[in-house]
Amino acid sequence: MIQSSLTELAAALQGRQLSSVELTTAFLDRIDALNPRLNAFITVDREGALAAARAADARIAGGDAGPLTGIPVAHKDVFCTQGVRTSCGSKMLDNFVSPYDAHVVSQLKAAGAVMLGKTNMDEFAMGSSNENTYYGPTRNAWDPARIAGGSSGGSAVAVAARMAPMATGTDTGGSVRQPAAMNGITGIKPTYGVVSRYGMIAYASSLDQGGAFGRSAQDCALLLTAMAGFDPRDSTSVERPREDYSRDLDKPLAGLRVGLPVEFFAEGMSDDVRRAIDAAIAQYRELGATVVEVSLPNARLAIPAYYVIAPAEASSNLSRFDGVRYGHRAADYGSLEEMYEKSRAEGFGAEVKRRILVGTYVLSHGYYDAYYLKAQKLRRLIAEDFRAAFAQCDVIAGPTSPTVAWPIGEKSDDPVQMYLQDIYTIAVNLAGLPGLSLPCGTGADGLPVGLQLIGNYFDEARLLQAAHGFQQATDWHQRAPELG
Amino acid sequence: MSLSLDEVRHIARLARIELADGEAQSTLDKLNDIFGLIEQMQAVDTDGVEPMSHPQDVAQRLRDDVATETDQREAFQAVAPQTEAGLYLVPQVIE
């Protein structure tokens, strides 16, 4: 049953071939068996999960079930969960038990989904490998000696290793798409504003967006439909009617215009990733899609612009962690100032400190125009490039990551090398567009390669349709790592 | 551009993060690498380009100026490092 799709699980639950308690127990047991090896979960809430499963079974028996009722979910530890530790992968919040639920969490609770626990992540969602976590690195589901991808790597590994049938994540510069690619699963980051950021611990507010992980586009569509929707508590939440993101899944791909950005294919991609991406594009042609060349001339500026904007916003957002109202407080201090400085020095890891320092500098007196304002102007140029490209195509396709998952430790001491790994994903966040990664082949050592599809604003249904069409014709999404 | 050790210490003070001496040098090296990457932006002419602060270019929504939250002081203070009589305790700041 742990290999079944969400649709199959829902049918089994509603047909009473399976109870949610049985299903939840199976996944909890799988977590117990695999987590010591993969470190995908920071917190497992067995008791809470079984109570929620019993409630879901009662709801199903009462004829009040939706498509996710009784189905287990794993939440990235960035989402606040009432009564359950929410650490954000940081020592700073190691002791934090949230007094409230994030909007995403309450939406899924209302849908009857059963929370298994909280997944490992790069501290405050800052990272591309899941090595920047207070709880030790998450390990790739296909090769535990390799990185899981970041920052939502715990969620991606949980789904890939069948420790959870679906999981939530967040994507500030590629943090849903990149770990999805590296673990051979499907992950979608919707348009900025589609998923409420209420209760999602903020990293870079103008870029952060909640997203969904599943084994297929169809599973992602179901999860995203339950997660998304207007929330008045988030002032950046967009006021649009609720959508059923599964609605177009079965539409044929004939006539779909797929844009290939020349800049993505010019250099930087490893040969094995290129082979898998080329084969995927050929598959789209076979399915009746038209392939057109597009250009994103400013995409190369996305990384420098991001590493100004995101740290600037992070330096502001993380100023709330001062040891006064929640989180870590140093044991020894004299003055108030010293309490702040020591608590933050002890509570934050090296990468978080670096980004706060970069952000503090670029926002400091005399440097704002040269850095922050300049980066915001580049952001406009990048968004305009996408606008021009979408005049010629329906979706943009390319690699999610330039390489497959690398060995743990290989890049961890070189932040710039690490930052460059997000070259294909970051521009999407700066423009606020939806993006999706789906498994499309394997590279070195049989490791998964992800194809990235980028959509126009609010075109998530089409992205999922494009991914589903591919998955109807291929079996990459059905392959699972051998974990016993 | 290249930061100096004194500048790194100054930024750390502004950010309220204590930086040990040994840590300052390795932080300086990594920050200079990062600023080397960021400097690529300066080669692009952005005169006349409107800065983009929100992906949809929409104004922040305003809500009516009415209190909607209920009193949850006890729940919020339950996770605080130190409280007393409903107040957060910090070191004395006024002599």
Side-chain angles (χ1 to χ4, degrees):
Chain A
M1 84 182 85
I2 59 166
Q3 300 291 348
S4 304
S5 70
L6 296 188
T7 310
E8 289 163 347
L9 290 177
L13 287 167
Q14 281 158 40
R16 315 288 170 82
Q17 292 99 343
L18 180 67
S19 73
S20 177
V21 168
E22 288 168 325
L23 183 65
T24 301
T25 303
F27 280 108
L28 287 168
D29 290 349
R30 178 112 175 136
I31 293 170
D32 283 350
L34 292 180
N35 208 45
R37 219 188 314 168
L38 299 175
N39 202 25
F41 282 82
I42 292 172
T43 303
V44 179
D45 183 19
R46 180 174 274 269
E47 220 170 274
L50 290 172
R54 284 190 291 273
D57 282 333
R59 199 167 147 180
I60 292 166
D64 174 32
L68 297 185
T69 306
I71 296 181
V73 62
H75 285 303
K76 183 177 182 179
D77 211 18
V78 73
F79 289 103
C80 285
T81 44
Q82 189 172 19
V84 176
R85 176 168 66 159
T86 300
S87 78
C88 218
S90 180
K91 179 182 176 185
M92 182 61 87
L93 290 174
D94 182 47
N95 61 0
F96 180 66
V97 177
S98 172
Y100 68 99
D101 278 331
H103 183 73
V104 162
V105 172
S106 50
Q107 291 272 94
L108 289 174
K109 270 187 185 172
V114 172
M115 186 187 79
L116 296 168
K118 310 293 290 293
T119 59
N120 204 351
M121 56 180 284
D122 283 307
E123 186 182 1
F124 289 104
M126 298 181 192
S128 307
S129 67
N130 233 284
E131 292 167 293
N132 304 328
T133 146
Y134 179 59
Y135 302 94
T138 306
R139 294 173 177 276
N140 192 287
W142 294 77
D143 178 355
R146 291 178 185 260
I147 58 124
S151 64
S152 314
S155 287
V157 170
V159 173
R162 312 306 193 238
M163 297 155 93
M166 59 180 182
T168 57
T170 59
D171 192 315
T172 306
S175 288
V176 163
R177 290 159 286 158
Q178 189 251 26
M182 291 189 166
N183 288 282
I185 61 165
T186 307
I188 183 166
K189 174 203 99 73
T191 307
Y192 180 81
V194 161
V195 168
S196 169
R197 292 186 300 108
Y198 178 83
M200 193 175 111
I201 297 172
Y203 157 25
S205 305
S206 79
L207 303 164
D208 295 340
Q209 185 57 201
F213 288 104
R215 287 176 39 215
S216 66
Q218 188 173 32
D219 286 5
C220 285
L222 282 171
L223 178 53
L224 186 62
T225 299
M227 289 169 66
F230 173 64
D231 174 15
R233 297 172 300 183
D234 170 5
S235 65
T236 58
S237 174
V238 288
E239 289 185 80
R240 289 170 62 89
R242 289 189 70 89
E243 286 189 54
D244 172 6
Y245 294 108
S246 305
R247 66 178 185 271
D248 293 335
L249 287 180
D250 292 321
K251 285 188 180 171
L253 297 189
L256 182 80
R257 294 173 303 160
V258 177
L260 302 184
V262 283
E263 294 81 5
F264 282 14
F265 290 84
E267 55 183 311
M269 208 187 317
S270 68
D271 291 343
D272 53 347
V273 169
R274 182 182 292 270
R275 270 192 294 277
I277 300 297
D278 286 348
I281 303 301
Q283 181 70 61
Y284 271 100
R285 279 200 177 94
E286 214 169 286
L287 289 166
T290 313
V291 175
V292 294
E293 196 175 271
V294 296
S295 178
L296 301 171
N298 293 294
R300 67 190 168 82
L301 300 168
I303 288 187
Y306 177 89
Y307 281 100
V308 170
I309 294 168
E313 294 182 8
S315 70
S316 169
N317 277 326
L318 271 62
S319 64
R320 73 191 61 173
F321 300 104
D322 55 9
V324 175
R325 289 150 299 152
Y326 39 71
H328 176 77
R329 180 186 283 196
D332 299 312
Y333 49 83
S335 65
L336 181 67
E337 196 94 338
E338 205 183 328
M339 187 190 88
Y340 294 154
E341 291 183 351
K342 281 187 188 294
S343 298
R344 288 163 65 79
E346 292 171 9
F348 293 138
E351 181 61 22
V352 172
K353 286 182 200 170
R354 272 197 290 276
R355 294 196 195 190
I356 291 174
L357 294 178
V358 170
T360 303
Y361 185 76
V362 300
L363 291 180
S364 65
H365 181 67
Y367 297 102
Y368 179 85
D369 284 7
Y371 291 105
Y372 192 68
L373 204 64
K374 180 87 180 178
Q376 295 285 49
K377 289 180 175 186
L378 292 177
R379 186 175 188 177
R380 169 87 54 198
L381 295 178
I382 290 165
E384 289 303 324
D385 285 352
F386 277 113
R387 265 182 225 285
F390 280 119
Q392 301 171 63
C393 64
D394 303 310
V395 297
I396 292 172
T400 306
S401 169
T403 64
V404 296
W406 56 88
I408 288 175
E410 189 179 272
K411 300 183 202 297
S412 53
D413 202 36
D414 188 344
V416 169
Q417 275 309 307
M418 192 75 89
Y419 298 171
L420 293 172
Q421 293 302 310
D422 294 335
I423 182 80
Y424 301 120
T425 51
I426 278 181
V428 175
N429 298 79
L430 290 170
L433 294 163
L436 175 152
S437 180
L438 70 156
C440 71
T442 51
D445 301 315
L447 293 163
V449 173
L451 174 75
Q452 181 178 208
L453 297 177
I454 304 165
N456 211 339
Y457 295 103
F458 306 109
D459 217 4
E460 288 80 6
R462 177 145 47 183
L463 270 187
L464 289 158
Q465 174 213 348
H468 181 68
F470 181 88
Q471 292 179 336
Q472 293 304 102
T474 59
D475 70 350
W476 296 108
H477 64 295
Q478 286 169 343
R479 300 187 188 194
E482 284 173 24
L483 289 158
Chain B
M1 65 158 275
S2 188
L3 292 173
S4 69
L5 211 48
D6 280 347
E7 281 174 306
V8 169
R9 290 202 179 98
H10 177 63
I11 304 166
R13 266 196 304 278
L14 292 177
R16 303 285 185 268
I17 296 175
E18 187 181 71
L19 215 52
D21 282 347
E23 209 180 349
Q25 183 59 51
S26 66
T27 302
L28 169 70
D29 296 342
K30 291 202 164 72
L31 289 185
N32 278 330
D33 287 350
I34 294 167
F35 276 102
L37 178 78
I38 290 172
E39 285 301 317
Q40 293 171 24
M41 295 192 315
Q42 307 303 347
V44 185
D45 180 8
T46 51
D47 279 357
V49 177
E50 184 75 14
M52 179 177 168
S53 55
H54 187 288
Q56 268 88 53
D57 276 336
V58 296
Q60 292 271 298
R61 193 175 48 253
L62 300 176
R63 62 170 174 79
D64 294 337
D65 187 16
V66 290
T68 53
E69 292 295 328
T70 51
D71 177 13
Q72 295 182 70
R73 178 187 294 220
E74 271 183 39
F76 291 147
Q77 292 203 331
V79 292
Q82 222 183 335
T83 59
E84 190 179 296
L87 302 171
Y88 293 98
L89 287 190
V90 296
Q92 186 173 344
V93 288
I94 301 169
E95 295 298 323

